[in-house]
Amino acid sequence: MTSESAGAAPDRSSLSRALGLTIEPDLLDLALTHRSWAYENGGGPTNERLEFLGDSILGQAVTVMLYTTYPDLSEGDLAKRRASLVSAVALAEVAAMIDLGQHVKLGKGEELTGGRDKSSILADTVEALIGAAYLDRGADEATALVLRLIDPLLADPDRFGAAMDPKTSLQELAARLGMGLPSYEISDVGPDHSKVFTATVVLDGTPIATGEGTSKKHAEMGAALEAWTVLQQGRRH
């Protein structure tokens, strides 16, 4: 796998194809620059401002799409669906679908601790890409990008339902499979102001899946959705 931190520039054309649009190279590079890379390479700008912008665009695009697509849903149901689609869990899944991890510019330290697979980093980078698309291509194309990215989640009703409440969905599926109640083992790394939590789902005494996030709740949600996916795939084979 290509690694930015190793000094080799990846082929960004594959990312452009996955996104369905091209972004000006310098702006795209900024969107992919994690703070760990900037810190280890003399400082400089990171993707955090673009992430801030992209978060707002993502929320608006999803809100309008849900409002117009589901005219019979109540405000409460719309809010739940929006929360699931803009969550770190959902965005990390989107990032995995487009193989985003290989393109992120990471510092060596973050690389060694599995940063390319961390849900929080992947989710933040998706938002930064949306922000970059807005600045380079305008509001309409940025909105179209958001809708393309989340469409696979909407197209799978089972997965969409699980993404809305992964812990409950996992508990129900595990019960149907006679596996008992899931439990979560939590660990964390980093300073108090910037901890990253890792949750491991355990069923019948066996670790099933892990998830990570900037809070215990997000880590558990990520782990639950991954475990639900593993069990669902097992049922289908």
Side-chain angles (χ1 to χ4, degrees), residues 134-158:
Y134 176 86
L135 292 179
D136 189 45
R137 306 299 295 268
D140 288 346
E141 289 209 39
T143 296
L145 171 62
V146 170
L147 299 182
R148 283 197 299 274
L149 292 175
I150 67 170
D151 186 65
L153 301 181
L154 290 167
D156 186 343
D158 289 338

Side-chain angles (χ1 to χ4, degrees), residues 84-136:
S84 74
L85 289 171
V86 304
S87 70
V89 171
L91 295 181
E93 190 170 354
V94 165
M97 291 176 187
I98 62 175
D99 202 13
L100 180 58
Q102 67 166 314
H103 298 284
V104 181
K105 295 176 67 175
L106 291 176
K108 293 179 181 178
E110 193 65 66
E111 180 95 47
L112 292 173
T113 57
R116 295 191 185 280
D117 297 317
K118 288 184 178 179
S119 297
S120 56
I121 291 176
L122 294 173
D124 290 348
T125 306
V126 170
E127 291 181 335
L129 286 170
I130 294 169
Y134 176 86
L135 292 179
D136 189 45

Side-chain angles (χ1 to χ4, degrees), residues 3-234:
S3 170
E4 278 275 1
S5 61
D11 179 8
R12 297 268 171 77
S13 62
S14 63
L15 178 58
S16 296
R17 288 193 298 271
L19 294 174
L21 55 74
T22 58
I23 298 172
E24 190 275 324
D26 287 343
L27 193 56
L28 177 59
D29 189 73
L30 179 59
L32 297 170
T33 302
H34 186 255
R35 63 178 178 270
S36 63
W37 190 93
Y39 176 79
E40 292 183 14
N41 288 272
T46 73
N47 64 4
E48 291 175 351
R49 282 175 54 85
L50 286 174
E51 173 198 338
F52 171 79
L53 176 61
D55 175 70
S56 177
I57 296 159
L58 169 70
Q60 180 183 44
V62 170
T63 298
V64 173
M65 180 276 294
L66 290 173
Y67 183 87
T68 55
T69 304
Y70 302 100
D72 297 328
L73 287 184
S74 68
E75 181 272 341
D77 288 336
L78 289 172
K80 289 178 181 178
R81 294 199 177 205
R82 178 178 61 191
S84 74
L85 289 171
V86 304
S87 70
V89 171
L91 295 181
E93 190 170 354
V94 165
M97 291 176 187
I98 62 175
D99 202 13
L100 180 58
Q102 67 166 314
H103 298 284
V104 181
K105 295 176 67 175
L106 291 176
K108 293 179 181 178
E110 193 65 66
E111 180 95 47
L112 292 173
T113 57
R116 295 191 185 280
D117 297 317
K118 288 184 178 179
S119 297
S120 56
I121 291 176
L122 294 173
D124 290 348
T125 306
V126 170
E127 291 181 335
L129 286 170
I130 294 169
Y134 176 86
L135 292 179
D136 189 45
R137 306 299 295 268
D140 288 346
E141 289 209 39
T143 296
L145 171 62
V146 170
L147 299 182
R148 283 197 299 274
L149 292 175
I150 67 170
D151 186 65
L153 301 181
L154 290 167
D156 186 343
D158 289 338
R159 174 165 292 278
F160 184 69
M164 288 180 66
D165 190 352
K167 294 183 71 174
T168 299
S169 295
L170 174 62
Q171 182 174 319
E172 293 173 348
L173 178 56
R176 289 198 296 272
L177 296 176
M179 301 181 72
L181 290 174
S183 62
Y184 297 84
E185 298 177 351
I186 306 293
S187 61
D188 62 78
V189 296
D192 289 341
H193 67 278
S194 184
K195 283 188 179 296
V196 175
F197 295 87
T198 299
T200 300
V201 177
V202 179
L203 281 166
D204 277 349
T206 301
I208 302 296
T210 61
E212 57 87 29
T214 54
S215 69
K216 292 179 182 179
K217 177 182 178 180
H218 286 155
E220 289 180 353
M221 287 176 62
L225 184 58
E226 180 62 24
W228 180 90
T229 301
V230 169
L231 296 183
Q232 278 288 95
Q233 289 174 343

